[in-house]
Amino acid sequence: MEKIRRTKIVDLWTKPTFGEIVNVKGWVRTRRGSKQVNFIALNDGSTIHNIQIVVDLANFDESVLKQITTGACLSVNGKLVESVGAGQAAEVQATEIEVLGVCDNTYPLQKKGHSMEFLREIAHLRPRTNTFGAVFRIRHNMAIAIHKFFHDRGFFYFHTPLITASDCEGAGQMFQVTTLNLYDLKKDENGSIIYDDDFFGKQASLTVSGQLEGELAATSLGAIYTFGPTFRAENSNTPRHLAEFWMIEPEVAFNDINDNMDLAEEFIKYCVQWALDNCYDDVKFLNDMFDKGLIERLQGVLKEEFVRLPYTEGIKILEDAVAAGHKFEFPVYWGVDLASEHERYLVEEHFKRPVILTDYPKEIKAFYMKQNDDGKTVRAMDVLFPKIGEIIGGSEREASYDKLLARIKELHIPMKDMWWYLDTRKYGTCPHSGFGLGFERLLLFVTGMANIRDVIPFPRTPRNAEF
Amino acid sequence: MEKIRRTKIVDLWTKPTFGEIVNVKGWVRTRRGSKQVNFIALNDGSTIHNIQIVVDLANFDESVLKQITTGACLSVNGKLVESVGAGQAAEVQATEIEVLGVCDNTYPLQKKGHSMEFLREIAHLRPRTNTFGAVFRIRHNMAIAIHKFFHDRGFFYFHTPLITASDCEGAGQMFQVTTLNLYDLKKDENGSIIYDDDFFGKQASLTVSGQLEGELAATSLGAIYTFGPTFRAENSNTPRHLAEFWMIEPEVAFNDINDNMDLAEEFIKYCVQWALDNCYDDVKFLNDMFDKGLIERLQGVLKEEFVRLPYTEGIKILEDAVAAGHKFEFPVYWGVDLASEHERYLVEEHFKRPVILTDYPKEIKAFYMKQNDDGKTVRAMDVLFPKIGEIIGGSEREASYDKLLARIKELHIPMKDMWWYLDTRKYGTCPHSGFGLGFERLLLFVTGMANIRDVIPFPRTPRNAEF
């Protein structure tokens, strides 16, 4: 076979060089045709689109032809010509075909129309489908958009640790990390396990957030963001929970809550715009196949400014709705941690656009949020989105050493985990703010997928750590 | 205090607007001067450079002035003027000063010249030093360079899982992840721990590499890269080992070992060039303070093509050196896993430029590498660098189902962990290649730091998981 430099299929679509002899490589999606001519749809993962290979059967050995089955990997030389078929710009008239890898009829993706549940069971092969190709190309693009957004604005990407010996967010929901031999655990005279021989010489876990370390970085480098895996050992078997997921957490010195809201709104609009600008074909495919309202919803959040509303006013709107006869599953009252149905009512029915809810009751928010003068609320801000509910949670942080210390004591958070965090307030404290975005929540919004297990390559959930 | 939009110090240096009233915020590095005029060096983390604040003492209250100590956080309004002092372009003549956060004399960074060991103990504050500010800005820039390099070339960023139930690279070096109550472990009649109640319903660990999952993605999306945390529970207390580190692993369908070498060389040169182009001030600082040969070394790897040499020829060169009287600590013979001293001899003394060593004995390389026809070697490639030794390790992968299966059986790797990996060879296999780069190894090279604990914000090492 003549050696010709390979052209990716995405390039055949976007900058075709008609009349030239090209080489394409990829996997057979379908093969159809007559006894004289066959049409092979070849895909190489670079785009949702296949390239059509036109095969004049008379020119090829039967031994080669019979290996061209769904899933087989081919290298094809041929002339690139304009296609007369609908929905495709170019096709390749094959002159040489090499079968790089055969694929027998046990291949699970031979037929189309598998359920999402079945595709999760073959997560090692599902990126070969149109749907998951589209989802993972979008996932890539969203990650790139995030890095570009922050880099262009002078933020530094900061790697906070995954393994931690702190447990200030509640040990019950954390995964323990250990090298102890569980068959030979040593205990002291009180019956407590001795962690002296464990790898870190103490009990260690997987982090639930990089925020506290992110604040250390923001109060030295100015503006940082994290983007890394985060873990929750919650036994929640829902379409919205993962035990291992990726989180983005910017943290900015000298930003107050208003700057923080500006940043969050600009950031998420940038990501959505990026998806429309850079992944339109993939988004369009998902729109047409799964979620006819997807593109409209994406364009919708770009159009208008987000509503900015104190929690207390949000509660009033919800109470008015209840008084007017709207039925919620969960009760509404000042002090309640809003359920997704409440958030979506505000966004989808009342305001019909994204809402940033601020100044939540301190009891339902974390200890590090800046306390308002009313003694009841903190300078929290949650960004609420259509279909998703909370997509971003953040706050201005408590900058006062005394107030923060008092809150830590009030909540009985162990000081052994807090001394280094408190040092940021002790030595040159400054106003600062930040927020967290669950990457997969963003992807649910941008892809229109219904289950969070379908926007991450290999989901980790209760009783599932396959592949 | 008059509210003026803050200007970052990096912008005062790169695009000064002389004559304007500006606001700067940051932390006091030093304060010096006479009884009439003081000079404050203020830093906000955006650059290695401080901005000099000129304070006419007569214009300010003593109550404010006495709070301006090293480490204090200030907001300063003043006129930006050209500086007459050496080494600085601009200074701010203060008109208003607000102390946002005081800093008392217990601040550990008051005096300069702390040891690296001491700074590791206060890793929560060390990003406030010139050295670590420079290192972490470079770290950010290298991450951006990596994403840009791959994105521009049509690679997709692919998130492989951190928690895994496979243990094919040797369970002894892995961290176990569990939610079992270690005080109440259930055992079956044979005395084996029952993992049915563990979070994932089976024993789980932290990954040592995303490569196998990366191959799944490459054989569907075409060209991918991972960039995420990786874990090794090796009890190695050395300046080159971390228990938690970040790794980049590109994997490309249809690339053979030569394409793989081209990619690795282009990639690492791109990163080094990026550092010189985008972080010159930080690199220069580290060059001048720690490692006078740093910039020359960086420029050195850009100048020439890397040597490409089979392992067997490398051994001959080393054997010749021994014969000519060169003393190595470890023996040299065909089949040996090269020590750092051997690698550095080839790079620093024999060739005086980076070397890509290929075709290693199969016994010292992983099971998935493509077997050469000689029956003895595999299509591995290690990139060897001055000062660092191995910085990249990779290979063309074995594409033959039968050969791969035979090797897996030969090495007694459990098939329960391998069926999904083998499916890539069973269904439409293709030639493909990839490599792994330890991010912190790259950073050691680019920053000139001597200890890997000083290029990651919060190092995890035996008996150390602080912060």
Side-chain angles (χ1 to χ4, degrees), chain B residues 262-332:
Chain B
D262 291 345
L263 182 70
E265 181 167 345
E266 187 190 359
F267 168 62
I268 205 154
K269 283 180 169 172
Y270 182 92
C271 291
V272 171
Q273 187 69 57
W274 185 280
L276 289 170
D277 290 348
N278 295 278
C279 323
Y280 191 79
D281 290 352
D282 287 320
V283 171
K284 181 82 167 54
F285 173 84
L286 296 174
N287 181 87
D288 295 349
M289 293 295 288
F290 291 99
D291 180 354
K292 295 280 190 289
L294 175 60
I295 290 176
E296 198 184 319
R297 217 159 44 243
L298 296 183
Q299 289 166 339
V301 302
L302 297 175
K303 270 200 311 236
E304 294 180 283
E305 287 193 2
F306 297 178
V307 176
R308 300 183 182 191
L309 188 79
Y311 167 93
T312 301
E313 291 182 34
I315 291 290
K316 276 194 206 121
I317 291 169
L318 293 169
E319 285 174 338
D320 288 349
V322 170
H326 191 93
K327 297 267 183 273
F328 290 114
E329 191 183 344
F330 297 100
V332 174

Side-chain angles (χ1 to χ4, degrees), chain A residues 147-405:
Chain A
H147 283 297
K148 186 164 165 49
F149 176 86
F150 287 119
H151 177 68
D152 286 351
R153 283 155 187 78
F155 287 61
F156 301 111
Y157 181 30
F158 193 77
H159 287 131
T160 51
L162 282 284
I163 297 173
T164 173
S166 305
D167 55 1
C168 58
E169 302 224 9
Q173 302 187 327
M174 295 175 90
F175 289 101
Q176 184 169 0
V177 174
T178 183
T179 55
L180 288 179
N181 178 352
L182 301 193
Y183 288 97
D184 188 22
L185 293 170
K186 305 277 188 295
K187 294 182 184 169
D188 66 15
E189 62 255 36
N190 302 319
S192 297
I193 291 168
I194 299 173
Y195 280 100
D196 209 49
D197 287 339
D198 206 350
F199 191 89
F200 298 107
K202 58 174 76 169
Q203 203 173 336
S205 314
L206 291 175
T207 188
V208 295
S209 162
Q211 182 201 310
L212 303 193
E213 290 90 351
E215 288 186 51
L216 300 176
T219 52
S220 48
L221 299 169
I224 65 94
Y225 65 107
T226 72
F227 186 175
T230 313
F231 305 88
R232 300 279 158 89
E234 281 173 58
N235 196 8
S236 302
N237 242 318
T238 82
R240 297 164 54 87
H241 287 85
L242 291 168
E244 175 183 317
F245 57 99
W246 286 66
M247 191 126 96
I248 298 98
E249 298 183 286
E251 193 73 36
V252 192
F254 311 118
N255 266 14
D256 66 16
I257 193 174
N258 293 309
D259 303 319
N260 207 33
M261 287 192 280
D262 291 346
L263 182 71
E265 182 167 346
E266 187 190 358
F267 168 62
I268 205 154
K269 284 180 168 172
Y270 181 93
C271 292
V272 171
Q273 186 70 57
W274 185 280
L276 290 170
D277 291 348
N278 295 277
C279 321
Y280 191 79
D281 290 352
D282 287 320
V283 170
K284 180 81 168 54
F285 174 84
L286 297 174
N287 180 87
D288 295 348
M289 292 295 289
F290 291 100
D291 180 355
K292 296 278 190 289
L294 175 60
I295 290 177
E296 198 184 320
R297 216 158 46 241
L298 297 184
Q299 289 166 340
V301 302
L302 297 175
K303 269 199 314 235
E304 294 181 283
E305 289 194 0
F306 297 179
V307 175
R308 299 183 183 192
L309 188 79
Y311 168 93
T312 301
E313 290 182 34
I315 290 292
K316 274 194 208 120
I317 291 169
L318 293 168
E319 285 174 338
D320 289 350
V322 171
H326 191 93
K327 296 268 181 275
F328 289 115
E329 191 182 346
F330 297 100
V332 173
Y333 55 91
W334 197 96
V336 76
D337 201 359
L338 294 181
S340 186
E341 58 172 342
H342 305 139
E343 296 170 342
R344 293 183 61 178
Y345 178 84
L346 290 173
V347 171
E348 294 170 23
E349 307 205 28
H350 189 82
F351 289 108
K352 297 190 171 35
R353 52 185 166 130
V355 174
I356 309 182
L357 219 54
T358 64
D359 301 291
Y360 283 72
K362 67 179 179 183
E363 282 74 19
I364 59 171
K365 288 292 179 186
F367 71 94
Y368 48 69
M369 296 191 179
K370 184 173 173 68
Q371 297 161 36
N372 282 322
D373 292 338
D374 63 13
K376 295 192 299 183
T377 60
V378 289
R379 234 166 263 186
M381 47 151 266
D382 283 2
V383 181
L384 312 180
F385 251 43
K387 252 195 117 173
I388 305 290
E390 183 197 324
I391 193 163
I392 281 178
S395 74
E396 185 171 342
R397 315 308 188 186
E398 181 55 73
S400 155
Y401 180 84
D402 293 336
K403 284 189 190 173
L404 184 60
L405 183 62

Side-chain angles (χ1 to χ4, degrees), chain B residues 358-389:
Chain B
T358 64
D359 301 291
Y360 283 71
K362 67 178 178 184
E363 281 73 20
I364 58 171
K365 289 292 179 186
F367 71 94
Y368 47 70
M369 297 191 179
K370 185 174 173 69
Q371 298 161 36
N372 283 321
D373 292 337
D374 63 12
K376 295 192 299 182
T377 60
V378 289
R379 235 167 262 186
M381 48 151 264
D382 284 1
V383 181
L384 312 180
F385 252 43
K387 251 195 119 175
I388 306 291

